[in-house]
Amino acid sequence: MNLVGVYLAGNSWLHRLPAWTKVLGLLVIAITALAIRSPFVMLGLLAVALVVLLSSRVDLRVLRRPLIVVGVMGSALALFMWWQVGWHDALLAIARLLTLVLVAWTVSLTTRVADMLAVLLAALRPLRALRVNPEKVAMMIALAIRSVPLLIATVRTSNEARLARGQDRSVVALGVPIIVRSVKIADELGDALIARGYDPDDPA
């Protein structure tokens, strides 16, 4: 779940910033990172991203596992690119990847999901002229975000049950419960939406 970041309460300057400024900053940094062609300039931007993350004063222990995952994936990518296209592009790619990850974590760790969805909703409102319902789009994104920890918990529970039955090498013993529980979660979510008056055919 922490691969995408989970909001942590705090009183740093980043926590106090309006959500729209952080989302806008994320977009600007992403565009800037993609435009940079010098690995050394990119390393400078990476250092800035790290300083900004540290200034949020959040408990960075929550990022220990995702940092390991990103580090392993990034190292493998860098080695492959070094072999294919040389150290220049490899260093640029890994620095760009780490910069974007750190900035995304900074925003998600210091911004409530509801606040980010409010920003998205405001940005989507002009699309009403194209018959796009911004409330439904925002709700679908919120449900997708909420489903991530639920699915992770489902995988963890199914794996623990499989290990308890001594079927640690059985793919079926892991896959079938995950599918069944995922369908059940989706079914219960649909019932909850209908009970609250949600109509998928309502264009308003």
Side-chain angles (χ1 to χ4, degrees), residues 25-171:
L26 174 60
L27 292 176
V28 170
I29 292 175
I31 294 173
T32 302
L34 293 175
I36 291 175
R37 291 294 177 264
S38 169
F40 303 107
V41 175
M42 197 66 245
L43 286 173
L45 186 59
L46 173 59
V48 172
L50 179 58
V51 170
V52 172
L53 175 59
L54 293 175
S55 71
S56 67
R57 300 204 302 268
V58 299
D59 186 358
L60 297 182
R61 287 177 295 182
V62 300
L63 297 178
R64 183 174 55 190
R65 287 188 177 180
L67 274 174
I68 293 174
V69 174
V70 172
V72 171
M73 293 175 59
S75 299
L77 174 63
L79 289 174
F80 178 77
M81 290 192 66
W82 191 355
W83 174 51
Q84 289 290 316
V85 295
W87 69 269
H88 182 280
D89 289 340
L91 183 59
L92 177 61
I94 189 64
R96 181 180 290 154
L97 171 66
L98 292 177
T99 298
L100 296 178
V101 168
L102 290 181
V103 174
W105 277 339
T106 301
V107 173
S108 61
L109 290 171
T110 60
T111 313
R112 291 182 175 87
V113 173
D115 294 336
M116 285 192 282
L117 289 175
V119 173
L120 176 64
L121 184 60
L124 290 173
R125 283 200 179 106
L127 295 180
R128 281 190 182 277
L130 301 176
R131 302 182 63 84
V132 174
N133 189 319
E135 286 81 6
K136 288 185 178 181
V137 174
M139 185 186 68
M140 285 189 293
I141 294 176
L143 291 176
I145 294 173
R146 182 65 187 95
S147 297
V148 171
L150 291 176
L151 291 175
I152 291 176
T154 296
V155 174
R156 183 182 299 115
T157 302
S158 300
N159 188 51
E160 290 174 352
R162 179 184 65 160
L163 295 176
R165 292 194 299 268
Q167 298 176 319
D168 52 299
R169 295 187 178 183
S170 174
V171 177

